[in-house]
Amino acid sequence: MAEIHLTINGQSHTLDAPPMARLLDVLRHDLGLTGTKEGCGEGECGACSVILDGVLVNSCLVPILQANGATICTIEGVAQDGQLHPVQQSFLKHGGAQCGICTPGMTLAALQILEKNPHPSLDEIKEGLSGNLCRCTGYQKIFEAVHKTYAETAK
Amino acid sequence: MRANPADYELKSPGTLNGVLSLLAEAPGQWTPIAGGTEIMVQFGTGRMTQRQFVNIFGLPELTAISITPESIRIGAGVTYTAIRNHAEIGEALPLLAKAASWTGSLANQNRGTLGGNIVNGSPAADSPPALLVYEATVDLISVRGTRSIPYAGFHTGYKKSALAPDELVLAITILRPAAGLRQYLRKVGTRNAMAISKVALAGVATLDGETLRNPRVAIASVYHSPYRCLKTEALLADATVSPKLIAEARAALIAEIAPLDDIRSTARYRTQVSANLLEEFLLSLRSNAEESAS
Ligand SMILES: Cc1cc2nc3c(=O)[nH]c(=O)nc-3n(C[C@H](O)[C@H](O)[C@H](O)COP(=O)(O)OP(=O)(O)OC[C@H]3O[C@@H](n4cnc5c(N)ncnc54)[C@H](O)[C@@H]3O)c2cc1C
Ligand code: FES
Ligand code: FES
């Protein structure tokens, strides 16, 4: 076992875990943050995406010891004070979420795109979401939601 | 069966010397883990036979990029994202920057490292054809010291390499390409971002008037490891691009790689695609365009 320190969505946590435990399992099972989903467990689907020290990672591929001391943002940290983030509102408005399994990962991947460029091109959106699979929406509504996130709040 | 993490060990000494000492204590017992994008996939599915890992992700000695007038040295632990974000790599070594942009999703590129890609040794990996045509050198380090070998001699068989059990890959060094070097890299695969490449061909050459100097060609997925096409290069050296040369070069390439072909996709298909890519590379040399092809 290893003693692990994490700052998740602004809150600090200390816990004991086997050092090879996946960050995904620590989030879901040890910390009850079940917004982070498991799809493939192999780095292919992006359902487990979180932002680790500022960059998007697949939490199924990060052993917890490699995250020791890190600052992490999960889907639970995206809405602030009960207010959905503009990208979440845009997903709702444009039908970017259906069954919802891909949505937490999509949202975090979308946030990374928008952080770099609040008005991303379709190519930037496609590249930024290329590691996030969705079986329901056919992607067009997701692309639209990301594209229009700040276009519409500006109005 | 899903792996039980409690059955595995992972240490994080935090310094290069600490890692090297651990590797030296019992060579072969500890497996380095960098970005984990190969290791954690195997671990997750319970196929991982190794039990003891040592963390090397983010070690400063492994994540440095040093630029001199002569060369570009990229630490083995540099991620694809760092390669893509580095303006000078993009300018001098566009094929490497392009391969980095192909290596899975952005999340994968944020963790996956160049060192992990070459040590993993997949014949279909994206960076090796570029490293071969750039004639990269690999620096290896252990408590015994450092040594450098040509990347072309790194792979000794399918998933076998010249790396000793107590060694780490420290860095990959590439001499700055001559001004005007024409550079080409293209991959033909089922899904650009995610699928392991089916065929990829890298080519470079300098043009002396119409004459090809120092042509170098390398291909992924046709041999037990990434393959440099020395016979095809010999045919191209000091030749002039013409329809006749293209036909001869296609035939030479097919003769050179056909017997090597194994695994994935059918041999015939891959050989034809390789010849088409070679042709495209040669045609790109004829165009007067200043910037490198594709
Ligand atoms: C979804 C997905 C998509 C992918 N797509 C591609 C793709 O398109 N193209 C492609 O080429 N690859 C692809 N990969 C494979 C992988 O991302 C790359 O091979 C990556 O470069 C591996 O680096 P890593 O640091 O994550 O390796 P790790 O998993 O950390 O290590 C891999 C191997 O290298 C060894 N190792 C790592 N660093 C060193 C070092 N410095 N010295 C000695 N040994 C070392 C480890 O012991 C291990 O044996 C993909 C992987 C995933 C999960
Ligand atoms: S569960 Fe991690 S990428 Fe699919
Ligand atoms: S909404 Fe169901 S997988 Fe995307």
Side-chain angles (χ1 to χ4, degrees):
Chain A
M1 295 298 247
E3 187 178 295
I4 305 293
H5 302 271
L6 303 167
T7 304
I8 304 174
N9 306 329
Q11 265 201 317
S12 50
H13 299 266
T14 300
L15 54 99
D16 282 320
M20 277 294 277
R22 304 179 307 170
L23 172 57
L24 171 66
D25 294 324
V26 171
L27 291 172
R28 289 180 57 84
H29 302 147
D30 297 30
L31 299 169
L33 294 169
T34 53
T36 305
K37 303 300 178 197
E38 173 158 17
C40 64
E42 299 187 12
E44 298 277 355
C45 75
C48 67
S49 306
V50 301
I51 296 174
L52 177 78
D53 286 334
V55 299
L56 192 74
V57 303
N58 291 321
S59 63
C60 69
L61 299 186
V62 178
I64 194 65
L65 191 63
Q66 283 191 338
N68 196 12
T71 298
I72 296 168
C73 173
T74 68
I75 191 64
E76 289 89 348
V78 175
Q80 295 289 325
D81 307 321
Q83 272 287 359
L84 290 182
H85 186 279
V87 77
Q88 292 175 304
Q89 292 173 14
S90 194
F91 265 69
L92 273 177
K93 176 159 182 196
H94 297 285
Q98 286 182 26
C99 81
I101 284 285
C102 73
T103 312
M106 283 289 179
T107 305
L108 291 165
L111 276 175
Q112 286 254 299
I113 300 169
L114 294 167
E115 196 176 287
K116 257 199 242 157
N117 181 358
H119 303 284
S121 68
L122 186 59
D123 281 349
E124 284 169 334
I125 295 172
K126 282 187 178 169
E127 180 179 36
L129 299 181
S130 72
N132 295 78
L133 304 186
C134 176
R135 299 192 59 166
C136 304
T137 64
Y139 300 102
Q140 293 313 316
K141 292 180 171 176
I142 292 176
F143 297 158
E144 197 185 344
V146 179
H147 190 65
K148 294 195 172 153
T149 296
Y150 289 115
E152 310 219 333
T153 46
K155 271 187 218 156
Chain B
M1 259 293 282
R2 161 87 30 101
N4 177 1
D7 297 339
Y8 296 78
E9 254 182 280
L10 169 60
K11 286 193 180 176
S12 196
T15 63
L16 180 60
N17 282 336
V19 171
L20 295 177
S21 312
L22 187 65
L23 292 177
E25 265 171 33
Q29 193 175 331
W30 295 87
T31 300
I33 174 167
T37 62
E38 301 278 2
I39 285 179
M40 292 304 287
V41 171
Q42 284 191 45
F43 168 78
T45 56
R47 290 192 308 262
M48 177 53 77
T49 51
Q50 252 85 21
R51 285 287 182 273
Q52 291 170 296
F53 298 92
V54 55
N55 178 29
I56 62 170
F57 190 76
L59 287 179
E61 294 89 341
L62 264 56
T63 47
I65 297 177
S66 17
I67 310 274
T68 70
E70 296 78 40
S71 67
I72 294 179
R73 187 169 188 263
I74 303 170
V78 169
T79 63
Y80 295 108
T81 299
I83 289 175
R84 291 185 69 184
N85 286 344
H86 200 281
E88 278 176 278
I89 295 180
E91 206 156 290
L93 309 173
L95 306 187
L96 193 60
K98 186 188 269 191
S101 76
W102 288 344
T103 309
S105 62
L106 296 188
N108 199 65
Q109 292 168 23
N110 285 338
R111 297 297 286 187
T113 66
L114 190 56
N117 200 230
I118 71 175
V119 175
N120 184 61
S122 163
D126 277 316
S127 298
L131 296 178
L132 284 173
V133 296
Y134 287 142
E135 300 192 302
T137 304
V138 183
D139 299 336
L140 307 174
I141 188 165
S142 69
V143 291
R144 296 173 289 124
T146 56
R147 60 184 179 120
S148 294
I149 61 169
Y151 173 60
F154 182 80
H155 301 289
T156 54
Y158 179 68
K159 301 243 170 191
K160 290 204 181 87
S161 79
L163 188 75
D166 65 342
E167 276 179 321
L168 286 181
V169 176
L170 178 62
I172 291 96
T173 304
I174 298 174
L175 294 182
R176 243 175 221 281
L181 183 76
R182 299 296 202 95
Q183 308 192 23
Y184 170 93
L185 176 65
R186 188 152 163 210
K187 140 164 136 171
V188 176
T190 38
R191 232 184 335 150
N192 206 22
M194 304 304 284
I196 292 294
S197 67
K198 289 232 165 166
V199 188
L201 182 139
V204 297
T206 5
L207 279 181
D208 176 2
E210 301 267 285
T211 310
L212 298 186
R213 304 288 186 207
N214 296 315
R216 301 193 286 274
V217 176
I219 307 198
S221 316
V222 296
Y223 191 42
H224 62 56
S225 53
Y227 182 75
R228 172 122 178 235
C229 308
L230 293 172
K231 291 179 182 161
T232 306
E233 289 177 11
L235 178 103
L236 295 173
D238 307 319
T240 304
V241 180
S242 65
K244 180 166 168 278
L245 182 74
I246 288 174
E248 287 170 1
R250 288 186 65 110
L253 184 76
I254 289 169
E256 180 168 11
I257 67 174
L260 305 175
D261 209 307
D262 54 348
I263 34 187
R264 280 173 234 267
S265 118
T266 67
R268 247 252 220 88
Y269 164 79
R270 202 165 26 209
T271 315
Q272 280 308 317
V273 174
S274 304
N276 294 348
L277 294 178
L278 180 67
E279 176 166 349
E280 188 179 76
F281 165 51
L282 293 173
L283 286 171
S284 77
L285 296 174
R286 285 217 302 194
S287 68
N288 293 323
E290 266 299 289
E291 71 272 28
S292 48
S294 151

